[in-house]
Structures are given as structure tokens and as C-alpha cells.
Amino acid sequence: MNKTAVRTLQQFLQKHDTYSGRIDGIRGPKTRAAVEASLATLADELPKGADAWSDRRRAIACLQLACRRHKIEVGPIDGLWGPQTEYATEVLAHLQATGKKPAPWRDQQPLDANPNGWPREAELTQALGTPTRKPPLVVVPCPWPLALAWDLNTRPSGIGCHEQVADSLARVLARIHDHYGPERLRELGLHRYGGCYNKRRKRGGTSWSTHAWGIAIDWDPAHNKLKWGRDRARLAGPEYDTWWRLWEEEGWVSLGRTRNFDWMHVQAAKP
Ligand SMILES: [Zn+2]
């Protein structure tokens, strides 16, 4: 039971009118007294023998009952701090902070369409030639204004990509623009363009990056760092579901959605 969990418990006790102390994450005498007062009203939901539990165990049991009240699956009321209780407590904390439960990220399945026949990464040299030679690039105009992520005063007119992916990219950009509109795209940080063609190896790897063929694009890199997972990356949020679906319908792959890192990156190649 960590400090955040104690804070979550204190907030529940406060709402339950048994606690008037500070929400400080410390399980002191006031918190203990409030736990006992709340458990007294919930006694019929406690298992036999709970009277003999330690203060800590009774506090956890109280937190479990709080989760159950909010219809958060928490398992048996046993006063033990296992993974199910820990996860349920995180859900309760989110509910207290925002008024709603977190969006179920496990349900966000990436589409596996491939209408344009994008090659596998391992077959890219065969399909598109070696990246030591510059690929044939064309600039696809972007329907909403772009700003270079590391120099927002620089406004690229479009995205310089491999000619083989240009038509698909234009379709994706048009659909995204139709769905969100330029203002919303700006709010979502999707004007922050992080580059496409770049003759380089994979960061943290030795093979060629898909950027070396001009078939990958990075978006808003400052808020979607390479090693960040869905708990930190902005592009993992539910408001980006349609954004990703529109890429995936054209066969593009998000490394974030498929492998939970490099959420900035989308590529026209299958991993
Ligand atoms: Zn990238």
C-alpha cells in the first residue's frame, strides 16, 4: 500500500464523512479512526475474523470496499495488497481525480489491414532498394498547417516521402483532416511534425530505419518519446483512436499500438 493508495483511501473516507484530516498519504491516527468508523457501517461486507486483522490490513479492506462501491472489480475483501487490489485502486484514483473511469486500453486493437500491400520490414531493401541511394521522394501537401516539432516557427509545406507511399499518405491526411478539422488537430498537437525521410539506422539498433526509405513519419516527438509506453505517450490517448484507425485502414503501422513504444512513429511497412 503506497502513498497514492493511502491518499485514495483518505478521499473515500472524506466523502464517507468519517475523515476531516489532510489528504497527505500518511496513515496516521485520524486515518485509522476514520477507517474504523467506515468499517463499522460496512461490517456485514467483511469476512469472519476481520476484527482481528492489523490496522494496515483493515485499511486495505476499507479501500477494497470503496472500490466495490464504485463497481470496480477488486476480488474478495481480504485486506491483502495484491495486483488486483493495486489495479483497482489506480482505477478508483482516476475516478476520484477525473470523475470517470480510465478508458479501457486493452480493448484498443490495431487493425491489420494491408490494402496497398506494404512490404515487411525485412523485405524493404528488396522491395524499395538500398537506402545508401536516396529514394525517389515526392512532397505530399498536408491539408492542415504543420510546424517543425523542434523549431515551431518553421512551417513545412508538406511531407517529403517515398513516391510509392505518396498516394496513400495523401488519402490518410485528407481523411484525418475531414474527421478532426485544423483546430482540433492543433489542440491534439498533430501539427507538430517530426520528420519523414532521414537516412539513418534505427535508434538503439543497427538495421536501417524505415525513415531511410521515406516511408515513416514521426508526430509530436516531444510528447511521445521513444521509450515511453501508453502510460505517458500523448498519442496513446483515446482521443487519438480515430487518428490511428485512419492510418491502419491504409495498412500503416503504429509502433505504439502494436509494440507500445515509439508512439510518435507510423510506417508503411509491416514489422
Ligand atoms: Zn520514427
Side-chain angles (χ1 to χ4, degrees), residues 194-195 200 203 209-211 216-219 255 262 264-266:
R200 65 170 174 82
R203 283 191 284 261
S209 161
T210 45
H211 287 284
I217 305 164
D218 291 337
W219 297 94
L255 290 184
D262 204 0
M264 72 180 91
H265 178 102
V266 66

Side-chain angles (χ1 to χ4, degrees), residues 49-76:
D51 287 350
W53 288 352
S54 68
D55 287 344
R56 178 177 182 273
R57 195 165 171 187
R58 287 176 69 78
I60 294 169
C62 188
L63 194 49
Q64 289 171 332
L65 288 169
C67 292
R68 188 185 268 184
R69 280 206 149 197
H70 288 99
K71 300 197 163 51
I72 300 164
E73 270 186 82
V74 70

